[in-house]
């Protein structure tokens, strides 16, 4: 009939039968009081003589195998612990395990083992009658725990059962771009991109004592998204109920961005080839239409006096509309060809304020007609960047033109604020307008090819996609923040040295 829920132990399978496995089995074997509530049901290692495999045979572990893949289809396993230290093994296990089976890698295992060892040490010290010895040993324990936390580059936090942060390591504070003291007392949920999903994760760990999500998005102070592989576990009190939650988050942002860039590069390459072919095919009939339209306009100018006045006016207006739309279609095809080109960059020293001023001069007639005020804020002695000025100017012209169109959407008379400052080995340029803003549902799509939220006839969906592609090529990046109906800010980061 099975074990009652209160007595049921977590069934564990271990990958890697080395010394770490032996130590883990020894800890579980020594837990005669059942505090860990763990039962080892399997160990996998190609070496049958490995120390962990030998101890597993002594303990009578039922499943001993050379291939850890034997665990994937088992129904009697609740938790898989990877002690191999092999990233390839960890990746395969994380992908292949069914959702009901939890997974812990060697980093988290060592951390939890240290936490349990420290808790046992503290309990032993508290039972000592000699207060002087007790104080010295507690100090040593705190220093050891602090060393584990401070030396880790992962996000590690301790929270109460409601998710309120009790402590945060310096590595986690650095990854989130905030000070540790400001995080203490706030809910960890406040720093996540999807609060509801993380609240569900907290409920799961309180119910199951362990929970993991492979991709959890956090919001950095600068508004950027950071992605973590998050593992949560509970610390139980004397009554067996959870009192605190330990969280470990491994930063996987760079890997996910690289993956997205590779996917985007493949997609853009395919679309670029198609766009180039389409543009070349369309340009030929467009040239013919424009030529014929010009001939008709000349004939109207030469013989139009023989026509009734209203007929001549109607024909003149029709020809002007035809030529205007032909030129507009030609502009679109040129944009497609520019998007498809992948010429080598011409790298030279560039002063960004001067390049931005040139871009503003290019758009001066439009900004004057809209009565737009441009405010500048350059950091003194801003260093030059080694980049392609033509490509980078295309970025700024596109962004400034978008800002002007956003202000035009509110009737003109707005403000564009441009700032440039050094940020380590990069220069950051922000372009902010008080135009119509960007709807929330559009912010994740505005860099997609052919996506536009402008009215029909106002946009092609190429501008921001080209901007994103250029900056990726130059080793830079772009981010957007906006409030619909109020403002939009684009932040462009350009490295001082070109990418290899």
């Amino acid at each position: 009939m099975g074990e009652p829920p209160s007595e049921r132990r977590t069934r564990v399978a271990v990958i890697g039968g080395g010394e770490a496995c032996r130590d883990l089995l020894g800890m579980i074997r020594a837990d005669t009081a059942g505090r860990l509530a763990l039962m080892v049901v399997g160990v996998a290692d190609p070496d049958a003589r490995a120390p962990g495999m030998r101890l597993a045979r002594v303990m009578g572990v039922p499943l001993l195998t050379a291939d850890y893949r034997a665990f994937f289809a088992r129904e009697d396993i609740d938790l898989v612990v990877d002690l191999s230290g092999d990233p390839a093994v960890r990746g395969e296990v994380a992908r292949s395990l069914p959702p009901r089976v939890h997974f812990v890698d060697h980093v988290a295992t060592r951390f939890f083992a240290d936490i349990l060892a420290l808790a046992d040490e503290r309990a032993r010290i508290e039972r000592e009658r000699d207060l002087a010895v007790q104080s010295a040993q507690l100090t040593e324990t705190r220093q050891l725990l602090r060393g584990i936390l401070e030396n880790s580059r992962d996000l590690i936090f301790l929270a109460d059962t409601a998710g309120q942060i009790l402590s945060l390591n310096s590595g986690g504070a650095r990854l989130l771009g905030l000070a540790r003291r400001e995080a203490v007392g706030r809910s960890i949920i406040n720093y996540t991109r999807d609060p509801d999903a993380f609240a569900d994760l907290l409920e799961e760990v309180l119910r199951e004592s362990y929970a993991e999500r492979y991709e959890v998005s956090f919001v950095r102070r600068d508004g950027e998204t950071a992605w973590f592989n998050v593992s949560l576990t509970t610390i139980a009190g004397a009554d067996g109920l959870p009192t605190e939650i330990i969280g470990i988050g491994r930063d996987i942002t760079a890997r996910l961005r690289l993956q997205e860039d590779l996917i985007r590069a493949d997609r853009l390459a395919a679309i670029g080839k198609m766009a180039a072919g389409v543009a070349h095919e369309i340009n030929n009939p467009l040239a013919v239409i424009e030529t014929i339209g010009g001939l008709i306009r000349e004939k109207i100018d030469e013989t139009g006096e023989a026509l009734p006045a209203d007929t001549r006016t109607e024909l003149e207006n029709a020809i002007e509309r035809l030529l205007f739309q032909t030129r507009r279609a030609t502009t679109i095809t040129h944009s497609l060809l520019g998007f498809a080109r992948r010429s080598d960059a011409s790298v030279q020293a560039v002063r960004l304020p001067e390049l931005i001023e040139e871009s503003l001069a290019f758009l001066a007639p439009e900004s004057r007609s809209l009565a737009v005020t441009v405010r500048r804020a350059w950091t003194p002695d801003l260093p030059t960047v080694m980049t392609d000025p033509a490509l980078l100017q295309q970025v700024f012209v596109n962004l400034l033109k978008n800002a002007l169109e956003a202000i035009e959407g509110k009737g003109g008379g707005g403000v564009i604020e441009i700032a440039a400052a050094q940020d380590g080995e990069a220069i950051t340029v922000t372009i902010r307008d008080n135009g119509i803003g960007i709807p929330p549902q559009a912010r994740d799509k505005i860099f997609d090819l052919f996506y536009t939220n402008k009215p029909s006839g106002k946009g092609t969906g190429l501008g921001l996609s080209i901007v994103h592609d250029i900056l990726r090529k130059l080793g830079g990046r772009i981010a957007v923040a906006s409030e619909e109906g109020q403002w939009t800010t684009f932040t462009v980061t350009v490295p001082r040295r070109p990418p290899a």
Side-chain angles (χ1 to χ4, degrees), residues 387-399:
T387 189
D388 184 322
L391 289 178
L392 197 55
Q393 186 172 52
Q394 189 176 355
V395 168
F396 292 134
V397 169
N398 266 296
L399 295 179

Side-chain angles (χ1 to χ4, degrees), residues 7-8 13 22 38 51 54 61 69 87 96 204 219 252 268 270 276 296 303 311 346 377 391 393 409 426 434 443:
E7 297 178 7
R8 189 182 186 281
R22 181 192 61 194
L38 298 176
R54 292 200 300 267
V61 173
R69 297 175 183 85
S96 303
E204 180 180 344
V219 184
I252 57 174
L268 292 183
I296 294 174
T303 63
T311 301
S346 174
L391 289 178
Q393 186 172 52
N434 61 348
R443 289 170 202 160

Side-chain angles (χ1 to χ4, degrees), residues 441-443 445-453 460-462:
Q441 66 273 16
R443 289 170 202 160
K445 304 176 183 177
I446 59 172
F447 298 113
D448 292 347
L449 188 61
F450 299 125
Y451 178 83
T452 179
N453 62 339
T460 63
L462 290 171

Side-chain angles (χ1 to χ4, degrees), residues 36 78 86 129 144 201 264 297 374 389 441-442 446 497:
L36 298 176
D78 303 312
D86 186 343
R129 296 183 179 273
L144 179 58
L201 187 63
R264 180 182 176 87
R297 183 168 58 183
V374 179
Q441 66 273 16
I446 59 172
R497 295 288 181 270

Side-chain angles (χ1 to χ4, degrees), residues 180-254:
R180 297 168 64 179
R181 61 180 178 276
E182 65 181 289
V184 174
R186 298 194 64 191
S187 175
I188 186 65
I189 295 176
N190 293 339
Y191 298 104
T192 62
R193 184 70 72 183
D194 188 345
D196 292 338
F198 203 85
D200 293 340
L201 187 63
L202 289 177
E203 291 180 5
E204 180 180 344
V205 72
L206 293 176
R207 184 176 63 251
E208 304 290 341
S209 300
Y210 176 83
E212 182 180 26
R213 291 293 184 276
Y214 184 64
E215 295 179 5
V216 178
S217 56
F218 283 74
V219 184
R220 291 173 46 87
R221 169 178 278 172
D222 58 9
E224 290 285 326
T225 298
W227 293 87
F228 293 87
N229 178 3
V230 176
S231 300
L232 302 179
T233 190
T234 56
I235 298 177
D239 56 1
L241 297 177
T243 58
E244 294 168 330
I245 298 171
I246 299 172
I248 302 176
R250 178 167 297 173
D251 187 7
I252 57 174
T253 306

Side-chain angles (χ1 to χ4, degrees), residues 394-395 398-399 462-471 478:
Q394 189 176 355
V395 168
N398 266 296
L399 295 179
L462 290 171
L464 288 177
S465 184
I466 292 173
V467 165
H468 184 281
D469 196 40
I470 288 174
L471 287 171
I478 185 170

Side-chain angles (χ1 to χ4, degrees), residues 282-436:
I282 293 177
N283 271 339
N284 293 329
L286 285 177
V288 174
I289 294 171
E290 188 172 12
T291 301
I292 294 174
L295 290 173
I296 294 174
R297 183 168 58 183
E298 291 177 4
K299 290 296 182 182
I300 293 175
D301 291 340
E302 293 174 0
T303 63
E305 295 179 356
L307 297 171
D310 56 344
T311 301
R312 177 175 179 174
T313 300
E314 185 177 353
L315 286 174
E316 287 175 342
N317 291 337
I319 288 298
E320 288 302 321
R321 288 197 303 272
L322 182 145
L323 291 174
F324 173 79
Q325 294 298 336
T326 303
R327 287 191 292 271
R328 179 170 177 267
T330 302
T331 300
I332 293 174
T333 60
H334 286 169
S335 296
L336 286 169
L337 287 170
F339 175 80
R341 284 195 294 268
R342 292 294 183 270
S343 59
D344 293 334
S346 174
V347 176
Q348 55 187 277
V350 176
R351 294 190 179 277
L352 290 187
E354 296 176 4
L355 193 67
I356 295 171
E357 291 293 352
E358 292 177 9
S359 304
L360 286 168
F362 180 75
L363 297 170
E366 189 173 350
S367 64
R368 282 196 297 269
S369 67
L370 294 173
V372 172
T373 300
V374 179
R375 297 173 182 166
R376 304 159 175 84
W378 317 132
T379 299
D381 302 323
L382 201 64
T384 60
V385 297
M386 297 300 296
T387 189
D388 184 322
L391 289 178
L392 197 55
Q393 186 172 52
Q394 189 176 355
V395 168
F396 292 134
V397 169
N398 266 296
L399 295 179
L400 290 169
K401 186 171 180 61
N402 279 353
L404 290 171
E405 291 176 351
I407 291 173
E408 183 183 10
K410 291 182 72 171
V415 176
I416 297 177
E417 299 175 355
I418 311 172
Q422 185 171 357
D423 182 11
E425 289 301 311
I427 305 296
T428 298
V429 178
T430 58
I431 299 176
R432 180 184 178 95
D433 66 74
N434 61 348
I436 58 175

